[in-house]
Amino acid sequence: MTSRSRADRPRALQGLPEYDWQTAPEDLATRRQLRAARLRPGGHDPVAILRCRACATRPQRTCTRPAYLYRIDLAQPVRPMTLEKEKALDAAMAARTTCTVCGRRYHHCLPLRTLGSCLECYDGTPADPASYINPPTHTLAA
């Protein structure tokens, strides 16, 4: 058995082991790292916690922005995007990006919870024409 340095050892023995920034073993990855490799956790629970860079300098402090680590060998490939999935995602994004007053669909999410509409409809702030798509003028097929 090889001896590991203090930085490589897990911080907590009870519950999930904790690793400092850039000290996690090679066989563990975060969700973002799995996604970059076109993988997903596949229903498995996390096996460790990665502490953020700021908390690495404060060993006794509980990390405020932990990342969960998953085993790469248990990860499964991501599910392919189907047409139904794509339609559902587009409908969800349309609800977040379409102004309820003027009907324009913006390229960014609107503050509908707080303002209820786009800024132009709310207080008259002009919107850049490149930031939205005009609503259709008619809904007829021909």
Side-chain angles (χ1 to χ4, degrees):
M1 185 159 133
T2 62
S3 64
R4 297 189 300 191
S5 69
R6 180 169 157 72
D8 291 339
R9 263 185 272 142
R11 187 176 306 279
L13 296 177
Q14 68 277 8
L16 296 176
E18 292 184 10
Y19 295 97
D20 283 330
W21 185 258
Q22 295 183 341
T23 61
E26 295 290 324
D27 61 336
L28 300 179
T30 63
R31 278 186 178 267
R32 285 189 182 197
Q33 290 169 335
L34 288 176
R35 189 65 178 183
R38 311 260 317 140
L39 296 171
R40 62 185 170 96
H44 297 286
D45 292 330
V47 294
I49 297 173
L50 180 67
R51 292 168 54 91
C52 65
R53 188 181 304 180
C55 293
T57 59
R58 301 175 189 97
Q60 302 305 322
R61 181 178 165 200
T62 303
C63 186
T64 56
R65 296 176 306 235
Y68 293 103
L69 296 171
Y70 300 89
R71 288 179 45 187
I72 296 175
D73 60 337
L74 296 178
Q76 297 174 352
V78 293
R79 295 184 188 111
M81 181 67 71
T82 63
L83 186 58
E84 290 80 22
K85 238 185 184 181
E86 193 170 350
K87 279 198 270 188
L89 287 172
D90 185 54
M93 284 307 294
R96 297 174 65 194
T97 59
T98 304
C99 177
T100 57
V101 177
C102 64
R104 294 179 186 155
R105 183 164 178 185
Y106 285 81
H107 299 295
H108 59 274
C109 294
L110 297 174
L112 297 175
R113 281 189 184 171
T114 55
L115 302 182
S117 64
C118 64
L119 285 176
E120 189 165 349
C121 294
Y122 180 72
D123 64 0
T125 304
D128 181 18
S131 68
Y132 61 85
I133 302 167
N134 282 323
T137 55
H138 63 78
T139 56
L140 301 175

